[in-house]
Amino acid sequence: MPVHLRSDQLYGIPLLGQADKRSPVDSKDTAPAPAPVPVARDPYGGSGAYLTLSRQAPGQSWKAQYVQDLVGGETRALTVPAHADHQGPSSSQVQQAVNQLQAAVRIARERLGDRDRASFDRIHRTLEGDRRARFALDALLVAGRLTEAPRSLEGRTLLESLDVVLASPARPPLEMASIVGDTIQMIADPASIMQGLRNTCTAASLEVKLASEDPAEYVRLVGALASGQDAPLRGGESLRPLPGSELRDDSGRCDASRLFQDAVIQLQISAPGIRYVNPVTAPPVGYPEIFLDDKGQILPPGRAGGGMTGSGQAMALTFLSGQLRDYVSRSSGKHELLE
């Protein structure tokens, strides 16, 4: 049984919508209870502890000190959630909560089988230079998500998928340890996934869905793209790396998101011969990416450029999930769905 770590147990602050306001930080016992009460996970599928801590802005506050104790002072300058923006506990209570989290990680690790424990330790060591990724990995361990269903298309758990991908070569200039660190953080906090300065909002939304609901498969696909390999999908098609996607662009996306989103945009193109091109540097005017026809001519944005259509997104989701998907809009003509 996995250890479930409650955000309000860490801070003495209830989550939004929670009536239970008990806080073990008032107790002198720093170890977690032997059988913590399971609670519903946060909307994004990670642990409440990671979501809250990873969103703290640097500053001289108890929240920033909490993050500093856990991840060595590396914080992400994101908005502080409303439920955490209150008067915090004393420094001794914060340290007690830090001890509790670390104890929960130790307990969860010991409950792994020998093979899984070796995989976890191997990944942890490889991520030594990425404190945020290591903390996210700890959060996923405590939440029980590293070994739970669903498994990837190859039948591997999230932990097994991470271990396999980490041992795979990446096409230069990509580094697989960095790719794995990206995926771990985005699985723990899918709200951090972004489209950046590209018209890939629909592809990014599919990335959020996959990282949230099918994380082992998400890791498998990103790992294959990073290696330059085609990856068979649950829906029978294959996800293929977009040529040039191994090069960083000016979109602001991390490597894993760029690889995935570019490949998904190409995946949903149904017309033969049309190619998606994501330039490293976006032009000063017009769309930041282009579509080429079978003769290499640039298509006008209204015809194929500017992102993904509703039908294209439904097609891509069908391939990714293996389940038939459809879309509805006022222009789709599917009145029975609209009703």
Side-chain angles (χ1 to χ4, degrees):
M1 175 181 175
V3 176
H4 291 270
L5 193 62
R6 299 180 54 156
S7 181
D8 60 339
Q9 286 179 329
L10 290 177
Y11 299 101
I13 298 173
L15 291 172
L16 291 176
Q18 275 191 331
D20 184 2
K21 299 183 180 180
R22 293 175 296 173
S23 172
V25 296
D26 296 327
S27 168
K28 294 182 179 179
D29 185 7
T30 60
V37 179
V39 294
R41 295 199 183 99
D42 58 81
Y44 299 107
S47 75
Y50 177 74
L51 279 174
T52 303
L53 289 177
S54 66
R55 291 170 178 268
Q56 306 310 317
Q60 300 302 318
S61 67
W62 71 272
K63 293 184 286 291
Q65 180 62 44
Y66 198 161
V67 179
Q68 184 176 359
D69 287 344
L70 286 172
V71 292
E74 293 190 19
T75 60
R76 282 194 277 175
L78 302 176
T79 305
V80 177
H83 70 265
D85 194 14
H86 298 287
Q87 180 64 35
S90 66
S91 59
S92 61
Q93 290 175 317
V94 170
Q95 186 58 54
Q96 190 174 20
V98 171
N99 294 341
Q100 185 187 36
L101 176 58
Q102 293 171 341
V105 171
R106 289 193 296 271
I107 290 175
R109 178 186 172 278
E110 287 304 314
R111 289 179 176 177
L112 294 173
D114 291 342
R115 179 179 297 179
D116 284 345
R117 190 181 307 117
S119 295
F120 176 81
D121 292 345
R122 188 160 46 245
I123 298 169
H124 216 269
R125 287 193 302 269
T126 304
L127 298 175
E128 184 175 1
D130 189 345
R131 293 189 179 97
R132 287 194 293 266
R134 292 182 74 177
F135 179 46
L137 183 68
D138 286 346
L140 293 171
L141 170 68
V142 170
R145 300 194 65 212
L146 291 179
T147 54
E148 70 180 4
R151 292 173 176 259
S152 70
L153 181 63
E154 297 175 341
R156 295 190 174 103
T157 64
L158 173 56
L159 180 61
E160 292 167 342
S161 297
L162 289 168
D163 198 19
V164 168
V165 168
L166 195 57
S168 304
R171 48 182 169 150
L174 299 173
E175 296 180 358
M176 198 60 85
S178 176
I179 297 290
V180 169
D182 288 344
T183 61
I184 289 172
Q185 292 182 71
M186 290 187 292
I187 290 168
D189 183 9
S192 65
I193 294 173
M194 57 183 287
Q195 71 184 82
L197 300 177
R198 290 294 184 273
N199 291 312
T200 56
C201 54
T202 45
S205 70
L206 294 180
E207 186 181 8
V208 170
K209 184 174 181 62
L210 201 64
S212 303
E213 300 176 5
D214 204 357
E217 180 72 351
Y218 173 61
V219 169
R220 181 184 74 86
L221 295 178
V222 172
L225 295 174
S227 296
Q229 301 174 358
D230 294 357
L233 299 175
R234 295 191 189 278
E237 184 55 75
S238 291
L239 192 65
R240 298 175 174 86
L242 187 75
S245 61
E246 72 276 10
L247 304 176
R248 290 184 176 175
D249 56 25
D250 61 358
S251 67
R253 299 171 294 181
C254 68
D255 291 337
S257 286
R258 184 185 65 256
L259 291 168
F260 182 85
Q261 293 172 24
D262 286 359
V264 167
I265 292 292
Q266 181 64 44
L267 174 68
Q268 57 88 39
I269 297 176
S270 57
I274 294 182
R275 293 185 291 116
Y276 172 68
V277 178
N278 171 29
V280 172
T281 303
V285 294
Y287 285 89
E289 57 270 302
I290 57 177
F291 290 82
L292 303 177
D293 63 16
D294 54 357
K295 297 180 181 179
Q297 299 298 314
I298 297 177
L299 295 172
R303 180 178 171 188
M308 189 188 300
T309 64
S311 59
Q313 187 179 31
M315 179 192 303
L317 184 55
T318 297
F319 290 144
L320 290 169
S321 67
Q323 301 175 2
L324 183 62
R325 303 288 183 167
D326 207 340
Y327 83 105
V328 61
S329 69
R330 294 189 178 278
S331 62
S332 66
K334 298 167 184 173
H335 302 293
E336 71 282 0
L337 293 179
L338 281 172
E339 292 175 357

